[in-house]
Amino acid sequence: MTILVTGARGAVATELIALLRQRGLSVRPASSRPSDPSIATCDLTDPATFPAVLAGADSVFLYAEPSHIDAFVKEAVTAGVEHIVLLSSSAVLAPAPETNPLAKSHVDVEHALTAAPIRSTLLRPGAFAGNALAWSWPIKAGVPVSLPYPDSYNDPIHEADLAEAAAAVLADPALGGRAYTLTGPESITCAGQIGILSRVTGHDIAIRKVTREEWKAEMADYVSGPIADALLDWQQSNEGVPTEITTDVERLIGRPGRTFATWAQEHATAFKP
């Protein structure tokens, strides 16, 4: 069995590739910008790259890029692919996901896969623990972290746990063909995550409560327009409201997921001056 892993340079895919190889499975890492000859070319925005990379693949780990998903699915069917595991998002479970900028790309890919004659598995994580790296610059610079909704809850999942869940589904066909909502093991506020980072780095980290417009101005080089507004709306809706935690991660990997504190300890150097 050959497993094509797209987005091979990403945090989840990098861990997944290692896990699959540890299981003795044949893996074909692929990226839109291969860093070395051992990585195949698969640009999900360029259908010309699809035939060669899909040839001989039995399963695929796929990132949610909707621009040419119909062409990708068609080529996967032609190549004889039997199973596609999609890294989607729990944003698709929100009301009217087709009009939600955070969910739109994921729901479009989900629809294309579920309509195809290939078994598909949908992994729907919430917040990634690694999202906290967006705070690394102000923390390292010794300035307060700007938060419009410091008491907004989320469910940070460790990327390594997400990779383990994907590996389990790819290795065991009995687990496939359904959707999984993947959360971290705890619901925690943004301010709570900052507190944990303070403890693991040994430095007090201040929070500056800002308005929506101040936050958008500060983040304009990284996120803007409808995406920024959708992120803010999502944070506002979760302010003071703990996130519902699921058991799907434990079901797939056989143990509780890693806590945000574990992730923070592993990545403490990224936040130190």
Side-chain angles (χ1 to χ4, degrees), residues 240-252:
V241 181
T243 309
E244 182 179 352
I245 301 303
T246 74
T247 59
D248 281 356
V249 167
E250 186 169 0
R251 175 184 176 188
L252 289 174

Side-chain angles (χ1 to χ4, degrees), residues 51-113:
V53 80
L54 283 164
D58 302 286
S59 301
V60 177
F61 177 74
L62 182 66
Y63 279 81
E65 167 52 56
S67 58
H68 294 285
I69 184 58
D70 290 337
F72 187 90
V73 168
K74 181 180 179 180
E75 195 59 48
V77 171
T78 299
V81 170
E82 299 174 355
H83 187 198
I84 296 178
V85 176
L86 175 68
L87 180 58
S88 186
S89 167
S90 63
V92 303
L93 302 175
E98 293 84 0
T99 61
N100 183 332
L102 299 179
K104 175 65 173 169
S105 63
H106 298 91
V107 78
D108 285 351
V109 176
E110 285 198 7
H111 287 166
L113 293 183

